[in-house]
Amino acid sequence: MDSINDINKEILKCNRCSLCNYKTNYVPGDGNINSKILFIGEAPGRDEDIQGKPFVGKAGKILTENINHILNIDRKDVYITNLIKCRPPNNRKPTDEEIKACSIWLEKQINILKPDIIITLGSYSTSWIFNYFNIKFNSIMKDRGKVYKINYWNKEIKIIPTLHPASTIYNKEWRAIFDKDFYLIKDLINKNNTGILRYI
Ligand code: URA
């Protein structure tokens, strides 16, 4: 079976859609491959495109802050990826065709990482994950801040959708909602007192 590193190397050669022609760097994902916690964003922005790493710009600062200060976790101990691995030009939204072409990589990553907790950031990754696990998607505002439990890989996994951190930059109320959802994630992690890393 392929490892996450094998898949991420394959991503670096991907030309399944035209986004590869506009990007500076592919952004496959980053973090601890033995983590039980997976964060999924939408698509790389300008800073991510330059550095080849997810969530290293303004939105990443907010995400990292909450991982550090609410979850009390080091960002290096979770895995972070996106639905789309190349930056859409001018940060436009990914098209359905691009999502269809690119999401095979996320699907492979998920099935290797087999996380216990999946946190989706924003409507794009939430709607994709809900569709993948046969959960009805309404809207990010309706569906966020709840724990969706499903049986997969012979265990119970939990999906928690929340807002995209970028959406909270200029909206204090949304930042408060985002923070509230992180306290829910914290409770969930604390309930599972076996640690957040899987030692194989
Ligand atoms: N927004 C995302 O959805 N992903 C990133 O990696 C950065 C910003």
Side-chain angles (χ1 to χ4, degrees):
M1 172 152 151
D2 286 334
S3 71
I4 199 83
N5 290 335
D6 295 332
I7 297 301
N8 289 358
K9 270 190 209 149
E10 277 188 57
I11 294 174
L12 303 184
K13 294 183 283 186
C14 179
N15 58 6
R16 293 176 54 84
C17 80
S18 64
L19 289 182
C20 63
N21 299 320
Y22 305 102
K23 57 120 197 37
T24 312
N25 285 297
Y26 292 94
V27 184
D30 187 38
N32 193 319
I33 59 172
N34 291 319
S35 185
K36 298 178 189 172
I37 305 174
L38 173 68
F39 284 86
I40 309 173
E42 182 180 308
R46 189 175 56 98
D47 295 291
E48 292 76 20
D49 179 59
I50 292 168
Q51 296 187 42
K53 290 205 165 144
F55 285 102
V56 289
K58 267 191 198 158
K61 189 166 171 278
I62 295 173
L63 176 64
T64 307
E65 245 169 52
N66 278 20
I67 292 175
N68 290 340
H69 300 308
I70 298 184
L71 305 186
N72 292 321
I73 293 175
D74 195 317
R75 182 186 152 134
K76 291 198 292 293
D77 291 337
V78 301
Y79 199 83
I80 305 178
T81 190
N82 283 303
L83 174 59
I84 299 288
K85 312 303 188 195
C86 294
R87 181 196 186 198
N90 303 314
N91 291 356
R92 68 159 170 74
K93 294 294 179 192
T95 65
D96 288 348
E97 288 72 34
E98 288 158 358
I99 293 171
K100 199 164 170 221
C102 196
S103 57
I104 64 144
W105 300 121
L106 179 60
E107 184 176 351
K108 285 176 198 270
Q109 288 176 320
I110 291 173
N111 281 288
I112 292 169
L113 294 167
K114 297 185 174 61
D116 290 9
I117 300 177
I118 299 176
I119 298 138
T120 50
L121 303 163
S123 63
Y124 280 74
S125 58
T126 303
S127 127
W128 189 87
I129 279 286
F130 271 30
N131 184 49
Y132 188 72
F133 289 114
N134 275 318
I135 305 167
K136 185 180 179 300
F137 178 73
N138 300 292
S139 73
I140 186 64
M141 274 306 181
K142 261 198 181 158
D143 298 339
R144 55 141 283 278
K146 294 177 198 134
V147 183
Y148 298 82
K149 295 179 183 170
I150 48 170
N151 287 310
Y152 214 74
W153 304 302
N154 289 320
K155 63 178 176 182
E156 185 183 80
I157 69 165
K158 291 156 189 103
I159 300 166
I160 307 171
T162 186
L163 302 181
H164 192 287
S167 73
T168 73
I169 293 176
Y170 301 109
N171 190 323
K172 274 196 185 144
E173 280 170 36
W174 288 8
R175 177 65 202 255
I177 293 175
F178 185 65
D179 292 353
K180 186 171 167 232
D181 292 349
F182 266 73
Y183 283 101
L184 177 71
I185 300 164
K186 183 191 173 104
D187 280 350
L188 204 61
I189 293 172
N190 288 347
K191 266 188 208 148
N192 173 356
N193 56 11
T194 58
I196 58 165
L197 297 181
R198 197 176 293 120
Y199 292 99
I200 309 167

